[in-house]
Amino acid sequence: MAGARVETLLARMRMRSHRGRTALRKSAVDYFRGDASDWLAFAGLLLTVPAIACGTLMLPVWFSPAALVLPIVAGGLLLRPASLLALYAASAAALIVEALVLGPYTQGPARVTPGTVLVVAACGLFGLLIAQFRSRVGVPWRRGGTMLFDLRERIRVQSKLPTLPRGWHREMALRPAGGQSFSGDFVVAARTNGGRTLEIVLTDVSGKGMEAGSRALLLSGAFGGLLGALPPHGFLPAANGYLLRQDWDEGFATSIHLVLDLQTGDYELLSAGHLPALQLCAGTGRWQEKSGEGPLLGVYDGAEFTPARGNLRRGDVLMLFTDGLVETADREISEGIDRLTGEADRYVSAGWEGAAWHLIEKVAKDVNDDRALLLIRRSP
Protein backbone atom coordinates (compact mmCIF):
# COMPACT_ATOMS: atom_id res chain seq x y z
CA MET A 1 0.00 0.00 0.00
CA ALA A 2 2.82 2.37 0.94
CA GLY A 3 4.72 1.38 -2.21
CA ALA A 4 1.71 2.28 -4.37
CA ARG A 5 1.48 5.71 -2.72
CA VAL A 6 5.20 6.30 -3.37
CA GLU A 7 4.83 5.34 -7.04
CA THR A 8 1.80 7.64 -7.36
CA LEU A 9 3.77 10.48 -5.77
CA LEU A 10 6.71 9.90 -8.12
CA ALA A 11 4.38 9.81 -11.10
CA ARG A 12 2.85 13.14 -10.08
CA MET A 13 6.29 14.68 -9.63
CA ARG A 14 7.39 13.47 -13.05
CA MET A 15 4.19 14.86 -14.59
CA ARG A 16 4.66 18.23 -12.92
CA SER A 17 8.30 18.28 -13.96
CA HIS A 18 7.29 17.51 -17.55
CA ARG A 19 4.69 20.27 -17.53
CA GLY A 20 7.23 22.71 -16.10
CA ARG A 21 9.79 21.88 -18.82
CA THR A 22 7.13 22.17 -21.51
CA ALA A 23 5.97 25.56 -20.21
CA LEU A 24 9.56 26.81 -19.97
CA ARG A 25 10.34 25.63 -23.49
CA LYS A 26 7.17 27.23 -24.86
CA SER A 27 7.99 30.48 -23.08
CA ALA A 28 11.49 30.47 -24.57
CA VAL A 29 10.16 29.82 -28.07
CA ASP A 30 7.54 32.56 -27.71
CA TYR A 31 10.21 34.97 -26.49
CA PHE A 32 12.41 34.15 -29.46
CA ARG A 33 9.51 34.76 -31.83
CA GLY A 34 8.57 37.97 -30.08
CA ASP A 35 5.17 36.76 -28.87
CA ALA A 36 5.98 36.70 -25.14
CA SER A 37 6.24 39.55 -22.64
CA ASP A 38 9.56 41.37 -22.27
CA TRP A 39 9.40 41.49 -18.46
CA LEU A 40 12.33 39.10 -18.02
CA ALA A 41 14.65 41.17 -20.21
CA PHE A 42 13.35 44.37 -18.62
CA ALA A 43 14.03 43.09 -15.10
CA GLY A 44 17.54 41.98 -16.00
CA LEU A 45 18.45 45.28 -17.66
CA LEU A 46 16.86 47.27 -14.86
CA LEU A 47 19.10 45.50 -12.32
CA THR A 48 22.22 46.34 -14.32
CA VAL A 49 21.58 50.08 -13.98
CA PRO A 50 22.17 50.28 -10.16
CA ALA A 51 25.00 47.74 -10.53
CA ILE A 52 26.79 50.00 -13.02
CA ALA A 53 26.07 53.06 -10.86
CA CYS A 54 27.56 51.37 -7.78
CA GLY A 55 30.61 50.35 -9.76
CA THR A 56 31.07 53.92 -10.97
CA LEU A 57 30.83 55.31 -7.44
CA MET A 58 33.21 52.77 -5.87
CA LEU A 59 35.65 52.20 -8.75
CA PRO A 60 35.37 55.25 -11.04
CA VAL A 61 38.64 54.39 -12.82
CA TRP A 62 37.22 51.05 -14.04
CA PHE A 63 33.54 52.01 -14.40
CA SER A 64 32.91 55.12 -16.47
CA PRO A 65 29.59 56.98 -16.12
CA ALA A 66 29.16 56.41 -19.86
CA ALA A 67 28.85 52.67 -19.17
CA LEU A 68 25.11 53.26 -18.75
CA VAL A 69 24.83 53.17 -22.53
CA LEU A 70 25.24 49.36 -22.37
CA PRO A 71 21.80 48.58 -20.88
CA ILE A 72 20.31 51.37 -22.99
CA VAL A 73 21.60 49.87 -26.26
CA ALA A 74 20.54 46.37 -25.18
CA GLY A 75 17.11 47.72 -24.23
CA GLY A 76 16.69 49.24 -27.68
CA LEU A 77 17.08 45.75 -29.13
CA LEU A 78 15.14 43.76 -26.55
CA LEU A 79 12.37 45.90 -25.08
CA ARG A 80 9.13 47.40 -26.21
CA PRO A 81 8.85 51.22 -26.21
CA ALA A 82 6.91 51.42 -22.90
CA SER A 83 9.47 49.26 -21.04
CA LEU A 84 12.29 51.13 -22.71
CA LEU A 85 11.07 54.48 -21.34
CA ALA A 86 11.06 53.04 -17.81
CA LEU A 87 14.65 51.86 -18.32
CA TYR A 88 15.60 55.34 -19.52
CA ALA A 89 14.09 56.87 -16.37
CA ALA A 90 16.18 54.54 -14.20
CA SER A 91 19.33 55.40 -16.18
CA ALA A 92 18.65 59.13 -15.85
CA ALA A 93 18.20 58.72 -12.09
CA ALA A 94 21.50 56.82 -11.91
CA LEU A 95 23.28 59.62 -13.78
CA ILE A 96 21.89 62.21 -11.35
CA VAL A 97 23.05 60.17 -8.34
CA GLU A 98 26.52 59.73 -9.85
CA ALA A 99 26.80 63.48 -10.56
CA LEU A 100 25.80 64.36 -6.99
CA VAL A 101 28.11 61.85 -5.30
CA LEU A 102 31.16 62.29 -7.53
CA GLY A 103 30.92 66.06 -7.55
CA PRO A 104 31.30 68.62 -10.36
CA TYR A 105 33.15 67.46 -13.45
CA THR A 106 35.60 70.39 -13.05
CA GLN A 107 37.20 68.66 -10.05
CA GLY A 108 38.87 65.91 -12.06
CA PRO A 109 38.32 62.89 -14.36
CA ALA A 110 35.77 60.11 -13.94
CA ARG A 111 32.98 62.60 -13.36
CA VAL A 112 29.63 62.99 -15.12
CA THR A 113 30.48 65.49 -17.84
CA PRO A 114 28.14 67.13 -20.35
CA GLY A 115 29.67 64.83 -22.99
CA THR A 116 28.65 61.79 -20.95
CA VAL A 117 25.08 63.05 -20.77
CA LEU A 118 25.03 63.70 -24.53
CA VAL A 119 26.36 60.20 -25.34
CA VAL A 120 23.83 58.48 -23.09
CA ALA A 121 20.99 60.64 -24.44
CA ALA A 122 21.98 59.99 -28.07
CA CYS A 123 22.12 56.22 -27.51
CA GLY A 124 18.74 56.41 -25.81
CA LEU A 125 17.24 58.29 -28.74
CA PHE A 126 18.53 55.79 -31.28
CA GLY A 127 17.33 52.90 -29.15
CA LEU A 128 13.85 54.42 -28.90
CA LEU A 129 13.67 54.95 -32.67
CA ILE A 130 14.66 51.33 -33.27
CA ALA A 131 12.09 50.07 -30.75
CA GLN A 132 9.32 52.17 -32.30
CA PHE A 133 10.22 50.95 -35.79
CA ARG A 134 10.10 47.33 -34.63
CA SER A 135 6.79 48.00 -32.93
CA ARG A 136 5.30 49.43 -36.13
CA VAL A 137 6.60 46.59 -38.28
CA GLY A 138 5.57 44.00 -35.72
CA VAL A 139 8.83 42.04 -36.08
CA PRO A 140 11.14 42.00 -33.04
CA TRP A 141 14.85 41.64 -33.54
CA ARG A 142 14.78 38.06 -32.24
CA ARG A 143 12.52 37.05 -35.12
CA GLY A 144 13.58 39.49 -37.82
CA GLY A 145 16.63 37.57 -39.04
CA THR A 146 14.75 34.27 -38.95
CA MET A 147 11.89 35.75 -40.96
CA LEU A 148 14.26 37.04 -43.65
CA PHE A 149 15.91 33.63 -43.79
CA ASP A 150 12.49 32.00 -44.18
CA LEU A 151 11.58 34.37 -47.01
CA ARG A 152 14.82 33.64 -48.82
CA GLU A 153 14.30 29.90 -48.47
CA ARG A 154 10.73 30.24 -49.69
CA ILE A 155 11.93 31.92 -52.88
CA ARG A 156 14.57 29.22 -53.33
CA VAL A 157 12.06 26.41 -52.89
CA GLN A 158 9.58 28.02 -55.27
CA SER A 159 12.35 28.34 -57.87
CA LYS A 160 13.29 24.67 -57.66
CA LEU A 161 12.85 22.85 -60.96
CA PRO A 162 10.89 19.58 -60.98
CA THR A 163 12.59 16.28 -61.71
CA LEU A 164 12.60 15.43 -65.40
CA PRO A 165 12.30 11.98 -66.99
CA ARG A 166 15.27 10.10 -68.34
CA GLY A 167 16.75 11.71 -71.41
CA TRP A 168 16.34 15.28 -70.15
CA HIS A 169 18.73 17.47 -68.18
CA ARG A 170 17.99 20.83 -66.53
CA GLU A 171 20.13 23.37 -64.70
CA MET A 172 19.45 26.76 -63.19
CA ALA A 173 21.52 29.47 -61.51
CA LEU A 174 20.29 32.66 -59.82
CA ARG A 175 22.67 35.43 -58.79
CA PRO A 176 21.29 38.53 -56.99
CA ALA A 177 22.85 41.95 -57.50
CA GLY A 178 25.66 42.96 -55.17
CA GLY A 179 25.89 39.55 -53.49
CA GLN A 180 22.58 40.08 -51.68
CA SER A 181 20.21 37.31 -50.64
CA PHE A 182 17.14 38.56 -52.52
CA SER A 183 16.78 38.82 -56.25
CA GLY A 184 14.30 40.43 -58.61
CA ASP A 185 14.68 37.44 -60.95
CA PHE A 186 12.77 34.28 -60.12
CA VAL A 187 11.60 31.01 -61.67
CA VAL A 188 8.42 29.02 -61.14
CA ALA A 189 8.03 25.59 -62.73
CA ALA A 190 5.66 22.65 -62.74
CA ARG A 191 4.93 19.46 -64.62
CA THR A 192 1.38 19.47 -65.93
CA ASN A 193 -0.82 17.35 -68.18
CA GLY A 194 -0.16 14.26 -66.11
CA GLY A 195 3.58 14.96 -65.98
CA ARG A 196 3.98 14.99 -69.76
CA THR A 197 4.36 18.78 -70.06
CA LEU A 198 6.99 20.94 -68.39
CA GLU A 199 6.03 24.57 -67.82
CA ILE A 200 8.66 27.08 -66.71
CA VAL A 201 8.24 30.80 -66.19
CA LEU A 202 11.32 33.02 -65.87
CA THR A 203 10.49 36.54 -64.67
CA ASP A 204 12.56 39.69 -64.24
CA VAL A 205 10.90 42.21 -61.89
CA SER A 206 11.71 45.89 -62.31
CA GLY A 207 14.47 47.02 -59.95
CA LYS A 208 17.18 44.82 -58.48
CA GLY A 209 18.38 43.28 -55.26
CA MET A 210 16.49 44.02 -52.04
CA GLU A 211 14.26 46.68 -53.61
CA ALA A 212 12.85 44.12 -56.05
CA GLY A 213 13.03 41.13 -53.70
CA SER A 214 9.74 41.85 -51.92
CA ARG A 215 7.86 42.21 -55.21
CA ALA A 216 9.53 39.08 -56.54
CA LEU A 217 8.41 37.13 -53.47
CA LEU A 218 4.80 38.24 -53.91
CA LEU A 219 4.79 37.56 -57.65
CA SER A 220 6.51 34.17 -57.36
CA GLY A 221 3.77 32.98 -55.01
CA ALA A 222 1.01 34.28 -57.28
CA PHE A 223 2.63 32.95 -60.47
CA GLY A 224 3.23 29.58 -58.83
CA GLY A 225 -0.49 29.37 -58.06
CA LEU A 226 -1.48 30.33 -61.61
CA LEU A 227 0.96 27.97 -63.31
CA GLY A 228 -0.78 24.71 -64.10
CA ALA A 229 -4.16 26.03 -62.93
CA LEU A 230 -4.72 27.76 -66.28
CA PRO A 231 -4.19 26.67 -69.89
CA PRO A 232 -0.70 27.66 -71.09
CA HIS A 233 -2.02 30.50 -73.27
CA GLY A 234 -3.97 31.90 -70.34
CA PHE A 235 -1.05 32.28 -67.94
CA LEU A 236 0.55 35.51 -69.15
CA PRO A 237 -2.80 37.38 -69.54
CA ALA A 238 -3.73 36.34 -65.99
CA ALA A 239 -0.28 37.36 -64.69
CA ASN A 240 -0.61 40.71 -66.47
CA GLY A 241 -3.99 41.34 -64.86
CA TYR A 242 -2.65 40.43 -61.42
CA LEU A 243 0.27 42.82 -61.79
CA LEU A 244 -2.01 45.65 -62.92
CA ARG A 245 -4.21 45.18 -59.85
CA GLN A 246 -1.23 45.77 -57.55
CA ASP A 247 -1.01 49.39 -58.75
CA TRP A 248 2.71 49.66 -57.97
CA ASP A 249 4.64 52.80 -58.90
CA GLU A 250 7.31 50.63 -60.50
CA GLY A 251 5.24 47.55 -61.21
CA PHE A 252 6.25 46.20 -64.60
CA ALA A 253 8.08 42.95 -65.24
CA THR A 254 9.33 40.88 -68.15
CA SER A 255 8.54 37.19 -68.35
CA ILE A 256 9.06 34.22 -70.63
CA HIS A 257 6.87 31.10 -70.42
CA LEU A 258 8.16 27.77 -71.76
CA VAL A 259 5.67 24.95 -72.46
CA LEU A 260 7.64 21.80 -73.34
CA ASP A 261 6.28 18.39 -74.32
CA LEU A 262 8.69 15.92 -72.69
CA GLN A 263 7.71 13.10 -75.04
CA THR A 264 8.02 14.76 -78.43
CA GLY A 265 10.30 17.72 -77.62
CA ASP A 266 7.83 20.21 -79.13
CA TYR A 267 7.65 23.49 -77.25
CA GLU A 268 6.04 26.91 -77.22
CA LEU A 269 7.61 30.12 -75.95
CA LEU A 270 5.35 32.95 -74.87
CA SER A 271 7.13 36.20 -74.07
CA ALA A 272 6.09 39.35 -72.20
CA GLY A 273 8.77 41.80 -73.27
CA HIS A 274 11.51 39.33 -72.32
CA LEU A 275 14.76 38.62 -74.10
CA PRO A 276 14.63 35.79 -76.65
CA ALA A 277 15.60 32.27 -75.72
CA LEU A 278 18.52 30.59 -77.44
CA GLN A 279 18.41 27.10 -78.93
CA LEU A 280 21.54 25.16 -79.80
CA CYS A 281 20.86 22.81 -82.69
CA ALA A 282 23.05 19.74 -82.29
CA GLY A 283 22.98 19.02 -86.04
CA THR A 284 24.46 22.36 -87.10
CA GLY A 285 26.17 23.50 -83.89
CA ARG A 286 24.57 26.93 -84.24
CA TRP A 287 22.51 29.01 -81.85
CA GLN A 288 19.10 30.30 -82.91
CA GLU A 289 16.98 32.95 -81.23
CA LYS A 290 13.45 31.91 -80.28
CA SER A 291 11.02 34.53 -79.05
CA GLY A 292 7.30 35.11 -78.88
CA GLU A 293 5.68 38.52 -79.10
CA GLY A 294 4.02 40.41 -76.28
CA PRO A 295 4.28 43.58 -74.16
CA LEU A 296 5.69 43.94 -70.66
CA LEU A 297 3.59 42.66 -67.79
CA GLY A 298 1.77 45.39 -65.86
CA VAL A 299 1.71 48.03 -68.62
CA TYR A 300 -1.83 47.86 -69.98
CA ASP A 301 -4.85 45.60 -69.79
CA GLY A 302 -5.97 43.29 -72.59
CA ALA A 303 -2.43 42.49 -73.76
CA GLU A 304 -2.04 39.64 -76.26
CA PHE A 305 0.89 37.23 -76.42
CA THR A 306 1.84 35.37 -79.61
CA PRO A 307 3.88 32.20 -79.09
CA ALA A 308 6.95 30.99 -80.92
CA ARG A 309 7.14 27.25 -81.60
CA GLY A 310 10.03 24.87 -81.97
CA ASN A 311 11.30 21.39 -81.27
CA LEU A 312 14.16 20.11 -79.12
CA ARG A 313 15.80 17.19 -80.90
CA ARG A 314 18.27 14.89 -79.21
CA GLY A 315 21.40 16.81 -78.28
CA ASP A 316 19.67 20.22 -78.51
CA VAL A 317 19.89 22.79 -75.72
CA LEU A 318 17.45 25.57 -74.85
CA MET A 319 18.75 28.53 -72.83
CA LEU A 320 16.60 31.09 -70.99
CA PHE A 321 18.18 34.09 -69.25
CA THR A 322 17.56 37.61 -67.95
CA ASP A 323 19.06 40.88 -69.17
CA GLY A 324 21.55 41.13 -66.30
CA LEU A 325 23.51 38.35 -67.98
CA VAL A 326 24.00 40.05 -71.34
CA GLU A 327 23.41 43.78 -70.89
CA THR A 328 25.71 46.31 -69.23
CA ALA A 329 26.20 50.07 -69.45
CA ASP A 330 29.14 49.70 -71.86
CA ARG A 331 27.90 46.68 -73.84
CA GLU A 332 24.87 46.16 -76.06
CA ILE A 333 22.60 43.16 -75.71
CA SER A 334 23.69 41.66 -79.04
CA GLU A 335 27.34 41.71 -77.94
CA GLY A 336 26.39 40.13 -74.61
CA ILE A 337 24.47 37.36 -76.36
CA ASP A 338 27.44 36.66 -78.65
CA ARG A 339 29.72 36.38 -75.64
CA LEU A 340 27.25 34.12 -73.83
CA THR A 341 26.90 31.72 -76.77
CA GLY A 342 30.66 31.74 -77.31
CA GLU A 343 31.27 30.65 -73.71
CA ALA A 344 28.41 28.13 -73.87
CA ASP A 345 30.00 26.37 -76.86
CA ARG A 346 32.77 25.19 -74.56
CA TYR A 347 30.32 22.98 -72.65
CA VAL A 348 28.99 21.09 -75.68
CA SER A 349 31.51 18.26 -75.31
CA ALA A 350 31.57 18.45 -71.50
CA GLY A 351 27.92 17.41 -71.15
CA TRP A 352 26.72 20.72 -69.65
CA GLU A 353 27.17 19.60 -66.04
CA GLY A 354 27.42 22.74 -63.90
CA ALA A 355 27.24 24.94 -67.00
CA ALA A 356 24.66 27.41 -65.68
CA TRP A 357 26.74 28.46 -62.68
CA HIS A 358 29.99 28.59 -64.66
CA LEU A 359 28.45 30.64 -67.46
CA ILE A 360 27.40 33.35 -65.01
CA GLU A 361 30.92 33.28 -63.54
CA LYS A 362 32.47 33.72 -66.98
CA VAL A 363 30.05 36.19 -68.54
CA ALA A 364 28.59 38.31 -65.73
CA LYS A 365 30.44 37.63 -62.49
CA ASP A 366 30.80 41.22 -61.26
CA VAL A 367 27.72 42.77 -62.88
CA ASN A 368 25.66 44.86 -60.43
CA ASP A 369 22.35 43.41 -61.58
CA ASP A 370 20.24 40.34 -60.90
CA ARG A 371 21.15 37.43 -63.16
CA ALA A 372 19.31 34.21 -63.92
CA LEU A 373 20.16 31.43 -66.36
CA LEU A 374 18.20 28.28 -67.16
CA LEU A 375 19.30 25.38 -69.37
CA ILE A 376 17.12 22.56 -70.74
CA ARG A 377 18.95 19.84 -72.65
CA ARG A 378 17.71 16.75 -74.40
CA SER A 379 20.29 14.00 -74.17
CA PRO A 380 21.76 12.63 -77.42
Side-chain angles (χ1 to χ4, degrees):
M1 196 72 176
R5 285 197 297 267
V6 172
E7 290 181 2
T8 302
L9 181 61
L10 291 176
R12 290 179 179 176
M13 292 178 62
R14 285 196 297 267
M15 184 177 295
R16 290 176 180 176
S17 176
H18 175 72
R19 289 177 179 175
R21 291 196 304 269
T22 303
L24 183 61
R25 184 167 59 249
K26 183 179 182 300
S27 177
V29 172
D30 289 342
Y31 184 75
F32 175 76
R33 291 176 175 175
D35 300 330
S37 173
D38 62 350
W39 68 267
L40 186 61
F42 174 67
L45 292 174
L46 195 61
L47 290 176
T48 61
V49 173
I52 292 175
C54 292
T56 302
L57 296 177
M58 293 185 293
L59 298 171
V61 176
W62 293 95
F63 291 87
S64 168
L68 286 171
V69 300
L70 299 177
I72 287 177
V73 171
L77 298 175
L78 291 169
L79 303 180
R80 293 180 173 87
S83 302
L84 193 59
L85 291 176
L87 180 66
Y88 287 174
S91 301
L95 270 180
I96 294 174
V97 171
E98 291 175 356
L100 293 175
V101 174
L102 294 176
Y105 65 90
T106 55
Q107 295 181 2
R111 301 297 200 277
V112 179
T113 65
T116 302
V117 177
L118 289 177
V119 170
V120 174
C123 291
L125 176 61
F126 288 131
L128 185 60
L129 292 176
I130 293 173
Q132 289 180 339
F133 175 77
R134 289 199 329 268
S135 180
R136 290 180 58 188
V137 175
V139 180
W141 78 276
R142 302 181 300 276
R143 186 61 177 165
T146 304
M147 188 191 73
L148 292 177
F149 176 78
D150 290 342
L151 293 178
R152 187 187 68 180
E153 289 302 299
R154 189 180 296 272
I155 295 177
R156 185 187 64 82
V157 171
Q158 289 177 346
S159 299
K160 188 176 181 180
L161 299 179
T163 303
L164 301 185
R166 187 176 181 181
W168 292 93
H169 174 72
R170 82 283 189 273
E171 282 199 22
M172 182 187 67
L174 290 172
R175 192 74 61 84
Q180 300 179 28
S181 298
F182 296 91
S183 172
D185 298 345
F186 66 89
V187 174
V188 292
R191 289 181 63 176
T192 59
N193 194 20
R196 172 172 176 168
T197 303
L198 173 67
E199 294 191 50
I200 299 177
V201 177
L202 173 61
T203 303
D204 183 0
V205 179
S206 57
K208 59 185 177 181
M210 290 290 293
E211 64 184 15
S214 58
R215 296 197 298 272
L217 176 65
L218 178 62
L219 291 181
S220 64
F223 287 9
L226 293 174
L227 191 66
L230 295 172
H233 287 203
F235 174 82
L236 286 181
N240 181 60
Y242 177 82
L243 203 59
L244 286 171
R245 290 192 296 272
Q246 306 312 304
D247 197 24
W248 289 328
D249 293 335
E250 190 180 1
F252 65 89
T254 69
S255 190
I256 188 167
H257 182 195
L258 169 66
V259 184
L260 173 64
D261 190 320
L262 296 173
Q263 293 186 3
T264 64
D266 294 332
Y267 67 85
E268 285 187 344
L269 278 172
L270 297 103
S271 176
H274 201 83
L275 293 175
L278 297 174
Q279 179 178 350
L280 174 64
C281 299
T284 62
R286 295 181 179 178
W287 291 91
Q288 298 179 355
E289 293 188 1
K290 299 286 185 177
S291 178
E293 296 181 0
L296 299 170
L297 295 179
V299 176
Y300 62 87
D301 197 8
E304 297 182 356
F305 304 92
T306 304
R309 295 177 173 86
N311 180 267
L312 283 179
R313 300 177 179 84
R314 296 194 176 276
D316 287 3
V317 178
L318 189 66
M319 184 187 305
L320 310 179
F321 52 92
T322 56
D323 59 358
L325 204 66
V326 295
E327 183 182 18
T328 61
D330 56 351
R331 186 178 64 192
E332 296 183 356
I333 293 179
S334 58
E335 296 178 1
I337 292 178
D338 290 341
R339 183 181 178 188
L340 176 62
T341 54
E343 291 291 339
D345 286 337
R346 301 183 180 185
Y347 294 92
V348 174
S349 59
W352 297 91
E353 291 292 337
W357 186 86
H358 287 290
L359 281 175
I360 292 182
E361 284 288 306
K362 293 289 186 179
V363 176
K365 179 179 179 181
D366 298 321
V367 175
N368 188 27
D369 197 0
D370 300 322
R371 292 142 290 166
L373 178 64
L374 176 66
L375 296 171
I376 304 291
R377 176 174 179 259
R378 192 172 186 183
S379 302

